[in-house]
Amino acid sequence: MHDMESPPTPMNDSSGDGMHNTNHNHTNMAMNMNMMHMTFFWGSNAEILFSGWPGTRLGMYVLALIVVFVLSVLVEWFSHCQLIKSGANNVKAGLVQTLMHAIRIGLAYIVMLAVMSFNVGILLVAVAGHAIGFLLFGSRVFKDSEMTSSVKTSDLPPMSC
């Protein structure tokens, strides 16, 4: 029963008979389409963010890893930076906060889309970038004083799910 072909499906085609064998078309389409991974995999032969990038070249894959790492660090920097001075005009401060929030969320979505390539290397550098970014900008390691609850740590509220 598995060897049976499905019956032809009516379609608009140029032959005029209105019938076209869809099995043949699906086979050709599957052979011509690039396979997208739906499970995590190792390897440098991947597509990340853009069609054909980084492709099959190892150097371009390494560049993709670096880009995702830097984007992850930038997300953390935006999450913990203090660019607005106290006493600033509320309208200007609000516009700066809005712009910073939009950039942070945009970068976070780009990192998320890169991780959705299901490439384990991309996942690892994204997590490493967030961890290093937090270590540098969010943790107490590089702070001069003890953090208290009354100290403002960021211009933006924390990211939440």
Side-chain angles (χ1 to χ4, degrees):
M1 178 134 195
H2 292 292
D3 293 310
M4 293 179 58
E5 288 188 25
S6 61
T9 306
M11 295 179 64
N12 292 334
D13 63 0
S14 59
S15 66
D17 65 357
M19 301 297 276
H20 204 49
N21 189 340
T22 57
N23 285 339
H24 179 69
N25 285 343
H26 288 284
T27 303
N28 286 343
M29 284 175 33
M31 289 172 40
N32 291 331
M33 289 175 46
N34 292 336
M35 293 299 293
M36 185 175 132
H37 289 272
M38 296 306 289
T39 58
F40 281 105
F41 70 98
W42 286 97
S44 61
N45 188 8
E47 282 192 357
I48 301 158
L49 296 177
F50 304 103
S51 179
W53 187 72
T56 58
R57 296 184 311 219
L58 181 62
M60 291 302 288
Y61 178 71
V62 170
L63 177 64
L65 294 175
I66 292 168
V67 166
V68 171
F69 180 83
V70 169
L71 290 174
S72 299
V73 171
L74 284 173
V75 168
E76 291 300 322
W77 180 77
F78 271 104
S79 295
H80 299 286
C81 70
Q82 293 180 321
L83 299 178
I84 301 171
K85 306 295 182 206
S86 61
N89 179 328
N90 283 345
V91 173
K92 289 180 183 177
L95 291 174
V96 169
Q97 276 184 308
T98 301
L99 179 64
M100 289 172 55
H101 176 74
I103 292 170
R104 176 181 69 172
I105 293 301
L107 293 174
Y109 276 129
I110 290 171
V111 171
M112 177 198 65
L113 288 172
V115 169
M116 287 175 60
S117 70
F118 290 101
N119 184 283
V120 175
I122 294 295
L123 172 67
L124 292 176
V125 298
V127 171
H130 282 290
I132 296 296
F134 181 81
L135 176 71
L136 295 174
F137 308 117
S139 73
R140 292 194 217 182
V141 173
F142 297 107
K143 305 280 191 242
D144 291 334
S145 62
E146 288 279 327
M147 294 179 71
T148 62
S149 60
S150 63
V151 175
K152 182 179 168 190
T153 60
S154 173
D155 287 332
L156 296 175
M159 291 181 71
S160 60
C161 295

